[in-house]
Amino acid sequence: MNHDDLPSDLVGCLRSASRVAVLTGAGVSAESGIPTFRDAQTGLWAKHDPMQLASPEGFDADPGLVWDWYQWRRKLIAESNPNAGHFALAEMAQHFDGFVLVTQNVDGFHQLAGSEGVLELHGNIQRSVCSKTRKLIEPDWLARHADARPPPSPHHAQGLARPDVVWFGEALPEATLDAAFSAAGECDLMIVAGTAGAVQPAASLPFVARESGARVLGINPETTGISRIAEWHLAGPGATWLPALARVMSNT
Ligand code: OAD
């Protein structure tokens, strides 16, 4: 794929944009081998009950089951690598006056690929926190209590280690969310890649950008609720289209 395959008005927009905001979702890690949530057949929520594995109630009901599931996902992520889409976004950042990367992903692949200042709306799966106090639990402590599923918390007698991710019914980190909405409201172009746009408040960001006058580009093999406000929809994988965008910028 080269930039000749991109619509010429999109190429023009990329070259003239000063502030770019990007919203990514599970689809950008699909080509790293990490399953998405809502794809039929292969999506995690097609096989598992999200309320059992990704809610405070589910954790209270069976902390061992939830811990084991996150340990399985951590292992999968540890054995996988960022793909060309992640690297392209890190590369693109240097070509704009403002470039804010907002992700719903908890895998940390954007940072591994070299992106800085990533706004992680849903936390990061590699960290663990106390279920009662939400204080960070150091890896050393977790290693010393690795036989427990989950390990106890050093911060609270009734606390347990849990992943530092946002579960259904929980609030997103406030400062991160504020920064994401500011970026959406101030950008010239918003790129939305690999998200079904089914989970709020992240799904509102492209709409805020559009209402504030930004142009919106969607990248997804499927059409989503976001496609209808996107001026351009690049149908296909992020690992193909994001490098094509980066090549436009490096040839500018
Ligand atoms: P979803 O699984 O809901 O959506 C993934 C999207 O990626 C779909 O629209 C796919 O069509 C698209 N997709 C699949 N393969 C792709 C590829 N190779 N390149 C680009 N796109 C591709 O994932 P999210 O929208 O990220 O929250 O889900 C949002 C949140 O819902 C997640 O952060 C998670 C989940 O419940 C929590 O765990 C709190």
Side-chain angles (χ1 to χ4, degrees), residues 92-154:
M92 277 170 74
Q94 61 186 289
H95 296 290
F96 300 97
D97 292 339
F99 189 91
V100 179
L101 176 49
V102 184
T103 190
Q104 297 164 89
N105 298 346
V106 297
D107 55 34
F109 281 165
H110 285 305
Q111 293 89 326
L112 267 182
S115 286
E116 290 174 3
V118 180
L119 298 176
E120 291 182 310
L121 291 179
H122 293 165
N124 190 300
I125 199 170
Q126 302 302 350
R127 292 188 301 262
S128 289
V129 292
C130 169
S131 61
K132 295 287 184 199
T133 65
R134 299 304 289 256
K135 283 190 191 156
L136 191 69
I137 302 180
E138 295 299 332
D140 276 3
W141 171 275
L142 296 170
R144 273 188 276 127
H145 297 84
D147 290 346
R149 310 174 23 250
S153 165

Short mmCIF file of all heavy atoms in Angstrom, two decimals, residues 92-154:
data_model
loop_
_atom_site.label_atom_id
_atom_site.label_comp_id
_atom_site.label_asym_id
_atom_site.label_seq_id
_atom_site.Cartn_x
_atom_site.Cartn_y
_atom_site.Cartn_z
N MET A 92 4.63 9.00 13.07
CA MET A 92 3.84 10.15 12.60
C MET A 92 3.88 11.32 13.58
O MET A 92 3.79 12.47 13.17
CB MET A 92 2.38 9.74 12.38
CG MET A 92 2.14 9.09 11.04
SD MET A 92 0.50 8.40 10.99
CE MET A 92 -0.48 9.89 10.83
N ALA A 93 3.99 11.00 14.85
CA ALA A 93 3.89 12.04 15.89
C ALA A 93 4.85 13.19 15.63
O ALA A 93 4.53 14.36 15.88
CB ALA A 93 4.15 11.43 17.26
N GLN A 94 6.02 12.87 15.11
CA GLN A 94 7.04 13.92 14.95
C GLN A 94 6.73 14.91 13.83
O GLN A 94 7.37 15.95 13.74
CB GLN A 94 8.40 13.27 14.71
CG GLN A 94 8.44 12.42 13.45
CD GLN A 94 9.75 11.69 13.31
OE1 GLN A 94 10.77 12.28 13.03
NE2 GLN A 94 9.71 10.37 13.53
N HIS A 95 5.73 14.62 13.00
CA HIS A 95 5.46 15.48 11.85
C HIS A 95 4.41 16.56 12.11
O HIS A 95 4.10 17.33 11.20
CB HIS A 95 5.03 14.64 10.65
CG HIS A 95 6.10 13.70 10.18
ND1 HIS A 95 7.24 14.14 9.55
CD2 HIS A 95 6.22 12.36 10.27
CE1 HIS A 95 8.00 13.10 9.25
NE2 HIS A 95 7.40 12.01 9.69
N PHE A 96 3.83 16.58 13.29
CA PHE A 96 2.76 17.55 13.57
C PHE A 96 3.13 18.42 14.78
O PHE A 96 3.85 17.96 15.66
CB PHE A 96 1.44 16.82 13.83
CG PHE A 96 0.99 15.98 12.67
CD1 PHE A 96 1.27 14.62 12.62
CD2 PHE A 96 0.31 16.56 11.60
CE1 PHE A 96 0.88 13.85 11.54
CE2 PHE A 96 -0.09 15.79 10.51
CZ PHE A 96 0.19 14.44 10.48
N ASP A 97 2.58 19.64 14.81
CA ASP A 97 2.82 20.51 15.98
C ASP A 97 2.20 19.88 17.23
O ASP A 97 2.76 19.97 18.32
CB ASP A 97 2.19 21.89 15.76
CG ASP A 97 2.91 22.64 14.65
OD1 ASP A 97 4.08 22.28 14.36
OD2 ASP A 97 2.30 23.55 14.05
N GLY A 98 1.05 19.29 17.05
CA GLY A 98 0.40 18.62 18.18
C GLY A 98 -0.05 17.24 17.75
O GLY A 98 -0.62 17.08 16.67
N PHE A 99 0.25 16.23 18.55
CA PHE A 99 -0.16 14.87 18.20
C PHE A 99 -0.48 14.15 19.51
O PHE A 99 0.40 13.93 20.33
CB PHE A 99 0.99 14.15 17.47
CG PHE A 99 0.59 12.82 16.89
CD1 PHE A 99 0.10 12.73 15.58
CD2 PHE A 99 0.71 11.65 17.62
CE1 PHE A 99 -0.26 11.50 15.02
CE2 PHE A 99 0.36 10.42 17.07
CZ PHE A 99 -0.12 10.34 15.77
N VAL A 100 -1.75 13.85 19.70
CA VAL A 100 -2.16 13.20 20.95
C VAL A 100 -2.74 11.83 20.62
O VAL A 100 -3.67 11.71 19.82
CB VAL A 100 -3.21 14.05 21.71
CG1 VAL A 100 -3.64 13.34 23.00
CG2 VAL A 100 -2.66 15.43 22.02
N LEU A 101 -2.15 10.82 21.22
CA LEU A 101 -2.60 9.44 20.97
C LEU A 101 -3.39 8.97 22.19
O LEU A 101 -2.86 8.87 23.30
CB LEU A 101 -1.38 8.56 20.72
CG LEU A 101 -1.60 7.05 20.54
CD1 LEU A 101 -2.70 6.75 19.54
CD2 LEU A 101 -0.31 6.38 20.09
N VAL A 102 -4.66 8.71 21.94
CA VAL A 102 -5.57 8.22 23.00
C VAL A 102 -5.87 6.76 22.69
O VAL A 102 -6.24 6.44 21.56
CB VAL A 102 -6.90 9.03 22.98
CG1 VAL A 102 -7.80 8.59 24.12
CG2 VAL A 102 -6.64 10.52 23.02
N THR A 103 -5.73 5.91 23.67
CA THR A 103 -6.02 4.49 23.40
C THR A 103 -6.96 3.90 24.45
O THR A 103 -6.93 4.30 25.61
CB THR A 103 -4.73 3.64 23.30
OG1 THR A 103 -5.08 2.34 22.82
CG2 THR A 103 -4.01 3.51 24.64
N GLN A 104 -7.77 2.97 23.97
CA GLN A 104 -8.59 2.17 24.91
C GLN A 104 -7.86 0.89 25.25
O GLN A 104 -8.32 0.12 26.09
CB GLN A 104 -9.92 1.82 24.24
CG GLN A 104 -10.76 3.03 23.89
CD GLN A 104 -11.85 2.65 22.89
OE1 GLN A 104 -12.95 2.25 23.27
NE2 GLN A 104 -11.56 2.78 21.62
N ASN A 105 -6.73 0.67 24.60
CA ASN A 105 -6.02 -0.60 24.80
C ASN A 105 -5.20 -0.58 26.09
O ASN A 105 -4.67 0.46 26.48
CB ASN A 105 -5.12 -0.89 23.60
CG ASN A 105 -5.92 -1.04 22.33
OD1 ASN A 105 -7.15 -1.19 22.40
ND2 ASN A 105 -5.27 -1.00 21.19
N VAL A 106 -5.09 -1.75 26.68
CA VAL A 106 -4.37 -1.86 27.95
C VAL A 106 -3.04 -2.61 27.77
O VAL A 106 -2.37 -2.93 28.74
CB VAL A 106 -5.24 -2.57 29.02
CG1 VAL A 106 -6.50 -1.75 29.33
CG2 VAL A 106 -5.63 -3.99 28.59
N ASP A 107 -2.69 -2.90 26.49
CA ASP A 107 -1.52 -3.76 26.25
C ASP A 107 -0.18 -3.04 26.27
O ASP A 107 0.88 -3.70 26.30
CB ASP A 107 -1.69 -4.54 24.94
CG ASP A 107 -1.98 -3.65 23.72
OD1 ASP A 107 -1.46 -2.52 23.67
OD2 ASP A 107 -2.73 -4.09 22.82
N GLY A 108 -0.18 -1.72 26.23
CA GLY A 108 1.09 -0.97 26.28
C GLY A 108 1.89 -1.01 24.99
O GLY A 108 3.04 -0.54 24.95
N PHE A 109 1.31 -1.51 23.90
CA PHE A 109 2.07 -1.65 22.65
C PHE A 109 2.43 -0.29 22.02
O PHE A 109 3.46 -0.18 21.35
CB PHE A 109 1.31 -2.50 21.63
CG PHE A 109 1.42 -3.98 21.90
CD1 PHE A 109 0.56 -4.87 21.28
CD2 PHE A 109 2.37 -4.49 22.76
CE1 PHE A 109 0.65 -6.24 21.51
CE2 PHE A 109 2.48 -5.86 23.00
CZ PHE A 109 1.61 -6.73 22.37
N HIS A 110 1.57 0.72 22.21
CA HIS A 110 1.92 2.03 21.63
C HIS A 110 3.23 2.54 22.25
O HIS A 110 4.11 3.03 21.54
CB HIS A 110 0.80 3.04 21.89
CG HIS A 110 -0.40 2.83 21.03
ND1 HIS A 110 -0.34 2.78 19.66
CD2 HIS A 110 -1.71 2.65 21.35
CE1 HIS A 110 -1.56 2.59 19.16
NE2 HIS A 110 -2.40 2.50 20.17
N GLN A 111 3.35 2.41 23.56
CA GLN A 111 4.57 2.88 24.23
C GLN A 111 5.77 2.04 23.80
O GLN A 111 6.85 2.57 23.55
CB GLN A 111 4.42 2.81 25.76
CG GLN A 111 3.40 3.78 26.33
CD GLN A 111 1.99 3.19 26.40
OE1 GLN A 111 1.58 2.40 25.55
NE2 GLN A 111 1.24 3.60 27.40
N LEU A 112 5.55 0.72 23.70
CA LEU A 112 6.65 -0.17 23.26
C LEU A 112 7.14 0.20 21.87
O LEU A 112 8.32 0.05 21.55
CB LEU A 112 6.18 -1.62 23.24
CG LEU A 112 6.40 -2.47 24.48
CD1 LEU A 112 5.89 -3.89 24.20
CD2 LEU A 112 7.89 -2.51 24.85
N ALA A 113 6.22 0.70 21.05
CA ALA A 113 6.60 1.09 19.68
C ALA A 113 7.24 2.47 19.64
O ALA A 113 7.68 2.90 18.58
CB ALA A 113 5.36 1.06 18.78
N GLY A 114 7.24 3.16 20.78
CA GLY A 114 7.93 4.46 20.83
C GLY A 114 7.04 5.67 20.98
O GLY A 114 7.53 6.80 20.99
N SER A 115 5.72 5.49 21.08
CA SER A 115 4.84 6.64 21.27
C SER A 115 5.02 7.20 22.69
O SER A 115 5.16 6.44 23.65
CB SER A 115 3.37 6.25 21.06
OG SER A 115 3.11 6.07 19.69
N GLU A 116 4.97 8.53 22.76
CA GLU A 116 5.13 9.18 24.07
C GLU A 116 3.82 9.86 24.47
O GLU A 116 3.05 10.27 23.61
CB GLU A 116 6.26 10.20 24.00
CG GLU A 116 7.60 9.52 23.87
CD GLU A 116 8.76 10.49 23.64
OE1 GLU A 116 8.51 11.71 23.66
OE2 GLU A 116 9.87 9.99 23.44
N GLY A 117 3.63 10.00 25.77
CA GLY A 117 2.47 10.72 26.29
C GLY A 117 1.15 10.07 25.94
O GLY A 117 0.13 10.75 25.80
N VAL A 118 1.14 8.75 25.78
CA VAL A 118 -0.09 8.04 25.39
C VAL A 118 -1.14 8.19 26.50
O VAL A 118 -0.83 7.99 27.69
CB VAL A 118 0.20 6.54 25.15
CG1 VAL A 118 -1.07 5.80 24.75
CG2 VAL A 118 1.29 6.37 24.09
N LEU A 119 -2.36 8.54 26.11
CA LEU A 119 -3.45 8.65 27.09
C LEU A 119 -4.17 7.30 27.14
O LEU A 119 -4.91 6.95 26.21
CB LEU A 119 -4.40 9.77 26.69
CG LEU A 119 -3.78 11.18 26.65
CD1 LEU A 119 -4.81 12.20 26.14
CD2 LEU A 119 -3.25 11.59 28.02
N GLU A 120 -3.94 6.56 28.19
CA GLU A 120 -4.54 5.22 28.33
C GLU A 120 -5.86 5.36 29.09
O GLU A 120 -5.87 5.47 30.31
CB GLU A 120 -3.59 4.30 29.11
CG GLU A 120 -2.34 3.94 28.35
CD GLU A 120 -1.43 2.98 29.11
OE1 GLU A 120 -1.14 3.23 30.29
OE2 GLU A 120 -1.02 1.96 28.52
N LEU A 121 -6.95 5.34 28.34
CA LEU A 121 -8.26 5.57 28.97
C LEU A 121 -8.69 4.43 29.87
O LEU A 121 -9.42 4.63 30.84
CB LEU A 121 -9.34 5.75 27.89
CG LEU A 121 -9.28 7.02 27.06
CD1 LEU A 121 -10.39 7.01 26.03
CD2 LEU A 121 -9.38 8.26 27.94
N HIS A 122 -8.28 3.21 29.53
CA HIS A 122 -8.75 2.03 30.27
C HIS A 122 -7.66 1.38 31.11
O HIS A 122 -7.80 0.22 31.51
CB HIS A 122 -9.37 1.01 29.30
CG HIS A 122 -10.64 1.51 28.65
ND1 HIS A 122 -11.20 0.93 27.55
CD2 HIS A 122 -11.44 2.55 28.97
CE1 HIS A 122 -12.30 1.59 27.21
NE2 HIS A 122 -12.47 2.58 28.05
N GLY A 123 -6.57 2.12 31.38
CA GLY A 123 -5.52 1.60 32.26
C GLY A 123 -4.49 0.77 31.51
O GLY A 123 -4.38 0.86 30.27
N ASN A 124 -3.74 0.00 32.28
CA ASN A 124 -2.68 -0.83 31.69
C ASN A 124 -2.64 -2.17 32.41
O ASN A 124 -2.55 -2.24 33.64
CB ASN A 124 -1.33 -0.11 31.82
CG ASN A 124 -0.25 -0.80 31.02
OD1 ASN A 124 0.04 -1.97 31.25
ND2 ASN A 124 0.32 -0.09 30.06
N ILE A 125 -2.71 -3.22 31.64
CA ILE A 125 -2.86 -4.57 32.20
C ILE A 125 -1.61 -5.02 32.96
O ILE A 125 -1.67 -5.91 33.81
CB ILE A 125 -3.23 -5.56 31.07
CG1 ILE A 125 -3.85 -6.84 31.63
CG2 ILE A 125 -2.03 -5.86 30.19
CD1 ILE A 125 -4.44 -7.75 30.58
N GLN A 126 -0.47 -4.42 32.65
CA GLN A 126 0.78 -4.87 33.30
C GLN A 126 0.85 -4.46 34.77
O GLN A 126 1.56 -5.06 35.55
CB GLN A 126 2.02 -4.35 32.55
CG GLN A 126 2.08 -4.75 31.09
CD GLN A 126 2.05 -6.26 30.86
OE1 GLN A 126 2.17 -7.06 31.80
NE2 GLN A 126 1.87 -6.68 29.61
N ARG A 127 0.15 -3.37 35.12
CA ARG A 127 0.19 -2.93 36.53
C ARG A 127 -0.90 -3.64 37.32
O ARG A 127 -1.96 -3.97 36.78
CB ARG A 127 -0.08 -1.41 36.62
CG ARG A 127 1.01 -0.54 36.03
CD ARG A 127 0.71 0.92 36.37
NE ARG A 127 -0.57 1.36 35.84
CZ ARG A 127 -0.73 2.04 34.71
NH1 ARG A 127 0.31 2.37 33.98
NH2 ARG A 127 -1.94 2.42 34.31
N SER A 128 -0.62 -3.82 38.63
CA SER A 128 -1.65 -4.33 39.53
C SER A 128 -1.85 -3.33 40.66
O SER A 128 -0.90 -2.66 41.08
CB SER A 128 -1.26 -5.68 40.12
OG SER A 128 -1.31 -6.67 39.13
N VAL A 129 -3.07 -3.24 41.13
CA VAL A 129 -3.39 -2.32 42.23
C VAL A 129 -4.20 -3.08 43.29
O VAL A 129 -4.73 -4.16 43.04
CB VAL A 129 -4.19 -1.10 41.73
CG1 VAL A 129 -3.34 -0.19 40.86
CG2 VAL A 129 -5.46 -1.52 41.00
N CYS A 130 -4.29 -2.46 44.47
CA CYS A 130 -5.07 -3.02 45.57
C CYS A 130 -6.56 -2.85 45.26
O CYS A 130 -7.00 -1.77 44.87
CB CYS A 130 -4.70 -2.29 46.86
SG CYS A 130 -5.80 -2.65 48.24
N SER A 131 -7.33 -3.93 45.43
CA SER A 131 -8.76 -3.86 45.11
C SER A 131 -9.51 -2.92 46.05
O SER A 131 -10.59 -2.45 45.70
CB SER A 131 -9.38 -5.26 45.17
OG SER A 131 -9.24 -5.80 46.47
N LYS A 132 -8.95 -2.64 47.22
CA LYS A 132 -9.65 -1.76 48.17
C LYS A 132 -9.19 -0.31 48.06
O LYS A 132 -10.02 0.61 48.17
CB LYS A 132 -9.41 -2.24 49.62
CG LYS A 132 -9.98 -3.59 49.92
CD LYS A 132 -11.49 -3.56 50.02
CE LYS A 132 -12.04 -4.91 50.43
NZ LYS A 132 -13.46 -5.06 50.12
N THR A 133 -7.89 -0.10 47.90
CA THR A 133 -7.37 1.28 47.95
C THR A 133 -6.96 1.82 46.58
O THR A 133 -6.74 3.01 46.44
CB THR A 133 -6.11 1.34 48.84
OG1 THR A 133 -5.08 0.54 48.21
CG2 THR A 133 -6.38 0.79 50.23
N ARG A 134 -6.85 0.96 45.59
CA ARG A 134 -6.37 1.28 44.24
C ARG A 134 -4.92 1.76 44.23
O ARG A 134 -4.43 2.30 43.25
CB ARG A 134 -7.27 2.34 43.55
CG ARG A 134 -8.69 1.89 43.38
CD ARG A 134 -8.80 0.58 42.61
NE ARG A 134 -8.49 0.71 41.21
CZ ARG A 134 -9.39 0.74 40.24
NH1 ARG A 134 -10.67 0.63 40.53
NH2 ARG A 134 -9.02 0.83 38.98
N LYS A 135 -4.20 1.52 45.36
CA LYS A 135 -2.76 1.86 45.37
C LYS A 135 -1.99 0.82 44.57
O LYS A 135 -2.31 -0.38 44.62
CB LYS A 135 -2.23 1.88 46.79
CG LYS A 135 -2.61 3.12 47.57
CD LYS A 135 -1.81 3.13 48.88
CE LYS A 135 -2.33 4.17 49.83
NZ LYS A 135 -2.00 3.87 51.22
N LEU A 136 -0.93 1.31 43.91
CA LEU A 136 -0.11 0.43 43.08
C LEU A 136 0.56 -0.65 43.93
O LEU A 136 1.03 -0.38 45.04
CB LEU A 136 0.96 1.29 42.39
CG LEU A 136 1.75 0.60 41.28
CD1 LEU A 136 0.85 0.35 40.07
CD2 LEU A 136 2.94 1.47 40.89
N ILE A 137 0.63 -1.87 43.41
CA ILE A 137 1.35 -2.95 44.08
C ILE A 137 2.61 -3.25 43.27
O ILE A 137 2.54 -3.46 42.05
CB ILE A 137 0.48 -4.22 44.20
CG1 ILE A 137 -0.80 -3.88 44.98
CG2 ILE A 137 1.25 -5.34 44.88
CD1 ILE A 137 -1.75 -5.06 45.16
N GLU A 138 3.75 -3.24 43.95
CA GLU A 138 5.04 -3.40 43.26
C GLU A 138 5.20 -4.83 42.73
O GLU A 138 4.77 -5.80 43.38
CB GLU A 138 6.20 -3.11 44.23
CG GLU A 138 6.26 -1.66 44.72
CD GLU A 138 6.45 -0.66 43.59
OE1 GLU A 138 7.06 -1.03 42.55
OE2 GLU A 138 5.99 0.48 43.73
N PRO A 139 5.87 -4.97 41.57
CA PRO A 139 6.10 -6.30 40.99
C PRO A 139 6.80 -7.26 41.95
O PRO A 139 6.51 -8.46 41.96
CB PRO A 139 6.97 -6.01 39.76
CG PRO A 139 6.68 -4.59 39.40
CD PRO A 139 6.33 -3.89 40.68
N ASP A 140 7.74 -6.75 42.77
CA ASP A 140 8.45 -7.59 43.74
C ASP A 140 7.49 -8.31 44.68
O ASP A 140 7.63 -9.49 44.97
CB ASP A 140 9.34 -6.72 44.65
CG ASP A 140 10.65 -6.44 43.97
OD1 ASP A 140 10.78 -6.89 42.82
OD2 ASP A 140 11.51 -5.78 44.59
N TRP A 141 6.54 -7.54 45.19
CA TRP A 141 5.53 -8.10 46.10
C TRP A 141 4.72 -9.19 45.38
O TRP A 141 4.48 -10.26 45.93
CB TRP A 141 4.61 -6.97 46.60
CG TRP A 141 3.42 -7.46 47.37
CD1 TRP A 141 2.22 -7.89 46.86
CD2 TRP A 141 3.30 -7.63 48.79
NE1 TRP A 141 1.37 -8.29 47.85
CE2 TRP A 141 2.00 -8.14 49.05
CE3 TRP A 141 4.15 -7.38 49.87
CZ2 TRP A 141 1.54 -8.40 50.34
CZ3 TRP A 141 3.69 -7.64 51.16
CH2 TRP A 141 2.41 -8.14 51.39
N LEU A 142 4.32 -8.89 44.14
CA LEU A 142 3.52 -9.86 43.38
C LEU A 142 4.32 -11.14 43.15
O LEU A 142 3.78 -12.24 43.26
CB LEU A 142 3.09 -9.25 42.04
CG LEU A 142 2.15 -8.05 42.15
CD1 LEU A 142 1.98 -7.38 40.79
CD2 LEU A 142 0.78 -8.46 42.72
N ALA A 143 5.62 -10.95 42.87
CA ALA A 143 6.46 -12.13 42.62
C ALA A 143 6.58 -12.98 43.88
O ALA A 143 6.56 -14.21 43.81
CB ALA A 143 7.84 -11.69 42.14
N ARG A 144 6.66 -12.33 45.04
CA ARG A 144 6.79 -13.07 46.30
C ARG A 144 5.51 -13.81 46.67
O ARG A 144 5.53 -14.74 47.46
CB ARG A 144 7.21 -12.12 47.42
CG ARG A 144 8.74 -11.97 47.50
CD ARG A 144 9.17 -11.19 48.72
NE ARG A 144 9.11 -9.77 48.46
CZ ARG A 144 8.46 -8.88 49.21
NH1 ARG A 144 7.82 -9.27 50.29
NH2 ARG A 144 8.47 -7.61 48.90
N HIS A 145 4.38 -13.34 46.11
CA HIS A 145 3.09 -13.98 46.43
C HIS A 145 2.46 -14.60 45.19
O HIS A 145 1.24 -14.70 45.06
CB HIS A 145 2.13 -12.94 47.03
CG HIS A 145 2.62 -12.38 48.33
ND1 HIS A 145 3.51 -11.33 48.41
CD2 HIS A 145 2.37 -12.75 49.61
CE1 HIS A 145 3.78 -11.07 49.67
NE2 HIS A 145 3.11 -11.92 50.43
N ALA A 146 3.34 -15.04 44.28
CA ALA A 146 2.85 -15.51 42.98
C ALA A 146 1.99 -16.76 43.07
O ALA A 146 1.21 -17.05 42.16
CB ALA A 146 4.03 -15.75 42.03
N ASP A 147 2.09 -17.50 44.17
CA ASP A 147 1.28 -18.72 44.29
C ASP A 147 -0.18 -18.41 44.59
O ASP A 147 -1.05 -19.25 44.34
CB ASP A 147 1.82 -19.62 45.41
CG ASP A 147 3.15 -20.23 45.01
OD1 ASP A 147 3.48 -20.16 43.81
OD2 ASP A 147 3.87 -20.75 45.90
N ALA A 148 -0.41 -17.21 45.14
CA ALA A 148 -1.80 -16.86 45.49
C ALA A 148 -2.52 -16.35 44.25
O ALA A 148 -1.94 -15.66 43.43
CB ALA A 148 -1.81 -15.80 46.58
N ARG A 149 -3.78 -16.72 44.12
CA ARG A 149 -4.57 -16.29 42.97
C ARG A 149 -5.85 -15.64 43.46
O ARG A 149 -6.78 -16.36 43.78
CB ARG A 149 -4.94 -17.49 42.09
CG ARG A 149 -3.85 -18.39 41.72
CD ARG A 149 -4.34 -19.62 40.97
NE ARG A 149 -5.61 -19.47 40.31
CZ ARG A 149 -6.72 -20.10 40.70
NH1 ARG A 149 -6.75 -20.89 41.76
NH2 ARG A 149 -7.85 -19.94 40.04
N PRO A 150 -5.88 -14.30 43.54
CA PRO A 150 -4.80 -13.36 43.31
C PRO A 150 -3.95 -13.16 44.56
O PRO A 150 -4.39 -13.52 45.67
CB PRO A 150 -5.55 -12.05 42.99
CG PRO A 150 -6.91 -12.19 43.59
CD PRO A 150 -7.18 -13.65 43.77
N PRO A 151 -2.78 -12.55 44.41
CA PRO A 151 -1.97 -12.22 45.59
C PRO A 151 -2.73 -11.26 46.51
O PRO A 151 -3.58 -10.51 46.05
CB PRO A 151 -0.75 -11.52 44.98
CG PRO A 151 -0.70 -11.99 43.56
CD PRO A 151 -2.13 -12.20 43.15
N PRO A 152 -2.40 -11.29 47.81
CA PRO A 152 -3.01 -10.32 48.72
C PRO A 152 -2.45 -8.92 48.44
O PRO A 152 -1.48 -8.78 47.72
CB PRO A 152 -2.54 -10.81 50.10
CG PRO A 152 -1.26 -11.55 49.81
CD PRO A 152 -1.41 -12.15 48.45
N SER A 153 -3.10 -7.92 49.05
CA SER A 153 -2.61 -6.54 48.89
C SER A 153 -1.72 -6.17 50.08
O SER A 153 -2.07 -6.49 51.22
CB SER A 153 -3.79 -5.59 48.83
OG SER A 153 -3.34 -4.27 49.02
N PRO A 154 -0.63 -5.46 49.82
CA PRO A 154 0.18 -4.96 50.94
C PRO A 154 -0.44 -3.73 51.58
O PRO A 154 0.03 -3.24 52.60
CB PRO A 154 1.51 -4.60 50.27
CG PRO A 154 1.16 -4.30 48.85
CD PRO A 154 -0.05 -5.14 48.51
#
